[in-house]
Structure formats: C-alpha cells, structure tokens
Amino acid sequence: MLPRKSMTWVLLLLLLSLAIINLSTSQSDARWAAKKRRLRDKVHKMFYHAYDNYMIHAFPHDELKPLSKSFTDSLSELGNLKLERLPQDYSGSALTLIESLSSLVIMGNNTEFQSAVVWLSENLTFNVDARVNLFECNIRVLGGLVSAHLLATDSTDRLGKGVYKNQLLTLAEDLGKRFLPAFNTPTGLPYAWVNLKYGVMENETTETSTSGCGSLILEMGALSRLTGDPKYESAALRALRKLWSMRSSLNLLGTTLDVSTGEWIEYSTGIGAGVDSFYEYLFKAHILFGKEEFWRMFHSAYIAVQKYFRHGPWYHEADMRTGKATYWQLTSLQAFWPGLQVLVGDIAAANSSHREFVYVWKKYGVLPERYLLDHQMLHPTEKYYPLRPELAESTFYLYQATKDPWYIEVGESIVNSLNLYTKVDGGFASIRDVTTMQLEDHQHSFFLAETCKYLFLLFDDSFLVEKNYIFTTEGHPLPVLSSWHDRLPDTYIQTNRTLLKTGNQARQTSSMSKQVCPPTTLNSWECSGQQVESACHVPDARSDHRCLTDDECGVDSSNCRRRSCSMAGYCGLWLFI
C-alpha cells in the first residue's frame, strides 16, 4: 500500500488532471461555438448579397443574372406568371422572392418576410395563358406558398396583427386547382406540362419522368389538409399508386414514361435526375401524413436501391428489368441521398457516400454535374455547377445526426468555395466549367431557397429547436402535425420493427420512433450503450441463419447489403469478404 502522503498526492494529481481535461473540453467547445457563429454570419452575408442584388436588379422578375446585373424570367419554361398592376407585356412571377420566404424566416428577418407576403398577396395572380412544368411549379411555387402560409400562421406571431388573412393559402389553392387538369389521363399519371388558364394543350407531350409524376404528394397533400378539400391529395396519391404499380419484379422504376399508355420509355434508372425526389417523397410523406402505405413502398424501393445500384460508397445506374449496371456515373443531384439515409437511420451508409461526394468537391473546388466513376473523370459536356444545394443538405443532416465537427469543416469548405469561385459584385453566379471556373450569368432561385438555407442551419439550428419539420425537395419546411396523420400507432409499422435492447429488457422500436443508428456507427451519442438495428434491416428467414438459397437470406442491418447463402448453408455477407 502507498503511504497516506503519497495517496494524497495521487488524488491531487488526479483531480488536477480532471480539471485540466474539463478546461480543455470547455475551451474546445467554446472555440467550436465561436467558429459556428462566424460561419453562420458568413452565410447570412452570402444570402443577403444574393437576395439584395435580386431585389435591386431583377425583382419582380424570376431570377437574377448576376454578371450583367439584369434578370431572366426563367418561368418562361415553367410558365410566365404575370403580376397585376404591371404592364400587360410583362411576364414574371417573382420566383426568387417566393423561394426566399422561408429562408427569410429562418434567418430571423420577420420584417422582410411580412413585406414579401403583403406584396405577393396584392400582386401575384395565376390567371394567365402560361404553359408551366407541373413538377417545377409544384415544388417551387406551390411549395413556397404553402410553407410560407404555415410559417405565417404558427404560434410565433411573426406578422403584424391583422396583416395576414390567409392570402398565401388562397393563392396556393388557386394554383392547385389549375394543376388538376394535368391529371386527366387514362392512367391518372399527370402530364408534365399544363397551361394555367386553359389546362392541357392540344398535342401536349405525354412523356414525363418518375420524379415529375411521383413527387407531388407533399405539397398537394399539405394543400388538402389546409383547405379541407381532398381532391389535391387524391390526385397526387392516385398518380403515386399507379406509378408504384408499374415497378419491375425487382422493385425498380424507370426514369421516363408515357402518361397515356403507362408504358416505360427509359428503363435505365438510378437515384439521380428523373427519379431522385420520388424516393425522397415516399419517406417524407410517411413522416408528414403517417400512412403505412408510404413506408411499405419506400422500404421495398430502398432495399432494391441498395441491392442493385450500390457499389461500395457509390451508386451507379441499372436497368429496371434486370438490375444490370448501365451507367457508372455520379451526378450532383445524387448528393441528396445521404441526407435521406440519415432520416431513415442508416448513418454509416450515409457517411460513406457523403465522404465520396466531398472528395469530388475538393478535387474540383465544387461539385460537377456529372462525374464518370468508371473512368474517374469528368463527363465531357456536363462540367457545370449551378450552385446546387444537395451536398450542403446532406452535410446538415449528418451533423444533426452525429454532431461530428468534421461536418462543420465540410460546411466551411463549401462556404469558402462559393465565395471564392462564384461570388461576384452582382450576386452569385453559376459555374459553366469546373475545370476553368468560367462563370455563367445565372443565379438560380434554389441558391436562396436551399443552398444558403442548409448552410445556415448547419451552423445555427435555432429555428429547429423544439420543433419538428420536414423539408420538401426545394427546401421549404413543412411542420409535422399530429392532426395531419391518419393514425398514430405505438410503433409506426409492423414491417419497420427493430429490436431495442436495454439491459435484459427488449422492446420494439423503429426509425420513426427513435433516431436509429447502425450498430457499427462510431461516436453515435444517441445510440451509446444501446444495440439498435438499422431501418433497412430484413431478418434472415430462419433465426439460426441456416439456408438453402439466397432467397432465405435478408439484408444486413449495419450496411444494408443483401446477404447470401454460403455453400455450407449459412446466411452472411459472403460476397463481400
């Protein structure tokens, strides 16, 4: 035994060591907090540099041309939405203003939000001879109006008394009614284009995308819940159900289809352009409306994606009929996928893919539109970067899930690149070629609706404290309300049950009732000391894991890979050893 005097010194040294550790931790936390505040302020300045230049040089037209300090009415493709009290030959929808509404709230500018709401209430009309793209007008305009209405009527009293009398909801309902003629097809799948005044035009194209007809349920469903009129949600739901019925035996869907015949046009498919938001809206619709049907669709589709598209951390494209790989390429739109995986609970898989996107970003300074995985090179013609938000979005979600400061560093890298390569005197310009950083004279509205918003929330999430929102594919927040749920079961769905073990007790849980982290995830403070399985997990057919064929093996809980049957007759990840 140590002498009493020696024991005293040992105790003093131990206490001193603990004090030093606590001081060091406290200082480290303070440094990170200060860094996040600095980055938040930097993003705040970015947003207003873009917003103010739009208001000075482009408003009330659609979008800003930052190099020439002029405007473009980009909705000339989506539709020329005219404003009252302006010359008859003027076309424009103040698209960027509509897209900025929720960002203004998140950044705490209730005064500007109120001014924008009043201006739109007095000037915007949809009674115009304008051919609009249903999908784009839905996610940008309808989604922006519905979200802003919900923010204007929540409990925070952010608008002056008597200022708001549901004007945005009235506009949203008027727009929703003008969407409905697009759904008058033999299949119930909507046309990609509709004229806001005259409906579907003669000889209109019958080709649309999976995203185009399968990503309408959030905005139109929310509109039905707010107005009490089920026809908007019913139209979107009928289209979604028809689309799901067209899946292959592998539970895969193609990219483009014919709304009249219900036949597929493009069989090659993936998680990128043309399909991306379909997967996103299946899961988010389940969260927003509580329908088990949405989960069943998503669960089957998600497992199919993991089985047929995933190759390590990457996702290639494949033929929906055979599952055979078609194109080995990364597209910038795919960068949303890790964020969706965070919502599902597959943190390890999300982190793995996210790091590959970050690698490509750092390689070129920004994320190119298309990158050829099999050649490790840029696509020869799609070298542009239009200020897309998807990588910032996934970075935000992963930081929320893990609180790993590495994601703050990723966000800082994104902010620095945007300021270094895209900031100009008149706003933020798109990049035409990432190899030369040649700029293009276009500031897309989603830069304000999403890119700046997700970066701001990464560094300052005070808007989300004690609140529960899902974000649409255009970044518009919709609150998760119990009154919108068809039902609220104790455990959300039978097919999503996982086992949560606490001591000797075992109880059912799910990725919806608790943040779910795969067992292999490191530093998962939510899962510390608990064994929680991933939502993608499909158990083997037998509890002893014996098998005769691959069909008797499930999907691994830690990495979402399909398990196979070994020659010895046991299920496992034998193909990946």
Side-chain angles (χ1 to χ4, degrees):
M1 291 182 61
L2 289 173
R4 181 176 298 176
K5 191 172 183 180
S6 299
M7 285 290 292
T8 301
W9 279 108
V10 169
L11 289 173
L12 286 173
L13 288 171
L14 179 60
L15 291 172
L16 181 60
S17 299
L18 290 173
I20 292 173
I21 291 172
N22 289 334
L23 178 62
S24 176
T25 302
S26 177
Q27 290 175 339
S28 176
D29 291 344
R31 284 196 298 270
W32 275 109
K35 182 172 186 175
K36 287 170 65 177
R37 286 193 298 271
R38 288 195 301 272
L39 290 169
R40 175 202 63 192
D41 293 344
K42 201 168 185 178
V43 175
H44 188 271
K45 290 178 181 178
M46 289 169 59
F47 174 83
Y48 281 103
H49 181 68
Y51 180 81
D52 290 343
N53 271 287
Y54 164 74
M55 295 301 291
I56 293 168
H57 302 297
F59 175 79
H61 294 263
D62 292 342
E63 293 180 323
L64 172 68
K65 298 178 75 173
L67 299 178
S68 59
K69 296 183 180 178
S70 58
F71 60 83
T72 174
D73 284 316
S74 58
L75 284 185
S76 60
E77 289 300 317
L78 313 183
N80 299 320
L81 310 184
K82 296 184 179 178
L83 299 165
E84 295 174 351
R85 303 182 185 179
L86 290 169
Q88 289 299 309
D89 60 349
Y90 171 76
S91 63
S93 67
L95 173 65
T96 296
L97 183 64
I98 296 172
E99 290 257 74
S100 299
L101 291 172
S102 59
S103 296
L104 290 168
V105 171
I106 287 172
M107 296 192 186
N109 195 339
N110 291 336
T111 302
E112 186 68 16
F113 176 67
Q114 177 172 309
S115 297
V117 168
V118 170
W119 193 93
L120 290 167
S121 302
E122 295 175 349
N123 291 279
L124 185 61
T125 178
F126 300 115
N127 187 31
V128 289
D129 181 4
R131 179 176 178 263
V132 307
N133 181 279
L134 179 66
F135 169 74
E136 294 289 353
C137 205
N138 174 70
I139 65 172
R140 297 187 185 207
V141 183
L142 183 61
L145 293 173
V146 167
S147 174
H149 165 75
L150 287 162
L151 292 171
T153 55
D154 65 16
S155 59
T156 58
D157 298 323
R158 56 176 50 93
L159 297 182
K161 187 175 182 180
V163 170
Y164 189 68
K165 299 177 181 178
N166 295 336
Q167 300 99 310
L168 298 183
L169 180 59
T170 300
L171 283 169
E173 185 171 20
D174 179 43
L175 181 58
K177 290 177 181 176
R178 298 173 190 275
F179 284 173
L180 293 178
F183 293 84
N184 293 331
T185 65
T187 62
L189 298 167
Y191 285 95
W193 299 85
V194 62
N195 185 289
L196 291 181
K197 194 169 189 176
Y198 301 113
V200 177
M201 304 303 288
E202 188 177 357
N203 299 321
E204 183 61 81
T205 177
T206 58
E207 182 174 348
T208 191
S209 67
T210 296
S211 290
C213 58
S215 307
L216 306 167
I217 190 64
L218 292 186
E219 294 84 359
M220 296 187 73
L223 182 61
S224 280
R225 304 304 168 105
L226 290 168
T227 61
D229 191 334
K231 62 187 176 186
Y232 311 109
E233 183 175 358
S234 295
L237 184 57
R238 180 190 176 202
L240 185 59
R241 286 170 173 163
K242 174 60 180 177
L243 187 65
W244 182 243
S245 74
M246 293 165 57
R247 70 193 185 278
S248 71
S249 60
L250 306 179
N251 285 328
L252 297 176
L253 293 90
T255 304
T256 59
L257 59 137
D258 189 299
V259 300
S260 292
T261 65
E263 298 294 328
W264 290 105
I265 297 173
E266 177 56 65
Y267 295 101
S268 181
T269 184
I271 59 170
V275 192
D276 49 358
S277 55
F278 166 75
Y279 295 110
E280 179 184 3
Y281 272 36
L282 283 180
F283 190 69
K284 289 182 176 180
H286 170 58
I287 297 174
L288 193 63
F289 303 124
K291 283 182 180 289
E292 184 175 345
E293 176 185 12
F294 294 135
W295 169 259
R296 288 197 300 267
M297 292 181 189
F298 175 78
H299 190 260
S300 299
Y302 186 75
I303 296 301
V305 166
Q306 298 299 318
K307 182 175 182 180
Y308 296 107
F309 299 160
R310 185 175 176 180
H311 182 77
W314 302 103
Y315 289 83
H316 57 75
E317 295 182 20
D319 190 307
M320 65 170 285
R321 300 163 296 184
T322 64
K324 301 296 184 183
T326 52
Y327 301 107
W328 291 78
Q329 55 189 3
L330 170 150
T331 64
S332 61
L333 289 172
Q334 292 176 352
F336 90 98
W337 188 254
L340 179 60
Q341 290 184 302
V342 170
L343 292 180
V344 177
D346 291 327
I347 311 297
N351 174 65
S352 176
S353 294
H354 176 268
R355 287 178 181 268
E356 297 301 328
F357 284 107
V358 172
Y359 165 77
V360 177
W361 177 285
K362 290 183 176 180
K363 182 176 181 178
Y364 294 102
V366 293
L367 195 61
E369 187 70 2
R370 199 172 296 271
Y371 182 78
L372 303 179
L373 296 174
D374 47 352
H375 299 291
Q376 292 291 298
M377 60 176 285
L378 287 174
H379 188 279
T381 59
E382 297 187 43
K383 302 178 182 180
Y384 54 88
Y385 170 67
L387 307 175
R388 289 203 189 279
E390 284 76 16
L391 182 59
E393 176 186 359
S394 287
T395 304
F396 156 71
Y397 278 113
L398 276 161
Y399 180 69
Q400 286 291 311
T402 66
K403 300 303 179 185
D404 187 336
W406 182 78
Y407 297 108
I408 298 296
E409 295 177 353
V410 172
E412 182 178 23
S413 175
I414 295 173
V415 168
N416 290 340
S417 289
L418 289 170
N419 281 289
L420 176 63
Y421 298 119
T422 72
K423 185 179 181 180
V424 295
D425 185 56
F428 285 83
S430 300
I431 295 176
R432 188 185 301 274
D433 187 334
V434 301
T435 62
T436 64
M437 293 301 174
Q438 177 189 2
L439 297 177
E440 183 176 354
D441 197 11
H442 198 171
Q443 178 182 284
H444 290 271
S445 62
F446 55 68
F447 180 71
L448 292 158
E450 299 181 83
T451 308
C452 289
K453 178 182 292 163
Y454 285 122
L455 288 171
F456 187 88
L457 288 171
L458 172 64
F459 306 127
D460 183 352
D461 62 359
S462 56
F463 171 76
L464 301 173
V465 173
E466 297 183 357
K467 297 183 180 71
N468 193 8
Y469 290 95
I470 59 107
F471 290 89
T472 70
T473 197
E474 195 70 7
H476 299 305
L478 299 175
V480 179
L481 305 171
S482 60
S483 60
W484 285 13
H485 279 223
D486 288 356
R487 63 189 183 94
L488 288 172
D490 293 332
T491 53
Y492 273 73
I493 30 211
Q494 295 299 312
T495 55
N496 189 28
R497 289 185 303 182
T498 54
L499 193 64
L500 177 64
K501 296 180 180 179
T502 306
N504 295 323
Q505 298 289 318
R507 62 183 177 83
Q508 292 175 354
T509 187
S510 76
S511 65
M512 294 298 301
S513 61
K514 178 181 177 64
Q515 177 180 314
V516 178
C517 307
T520 58
T521 302
L522 300 177
N523 302 321
S524 295
W525 57 275
E526 284 283 350
C527 303
S528 179
Q530 299 177 346
Q531 181 180 342
V532 187
E533 292 179 350
S534 165
C536 72
H537 181 218
V538 176
D540 297 332
R542 295 177 53 171
S543 59
D544 61 1
H545 309 293
R546 294 298 301 268
C547 57
L548 295 175
T549 68
D550 289 347
D551 291 338
E552 297 177 90
C553 301
V555 176
D556 194 78
S557 66
S558 63
N559 56 24
C560 295
R561 291 189 182 278
R562 183 80 189 185
R563 291 157 64 85
S564 59
C565 189
S566 70
M567 294 180 65
Y570 286 92
C571 292
L573 294 176
W574 310 116
L575 298 178
F576 304 101
I577 295 176

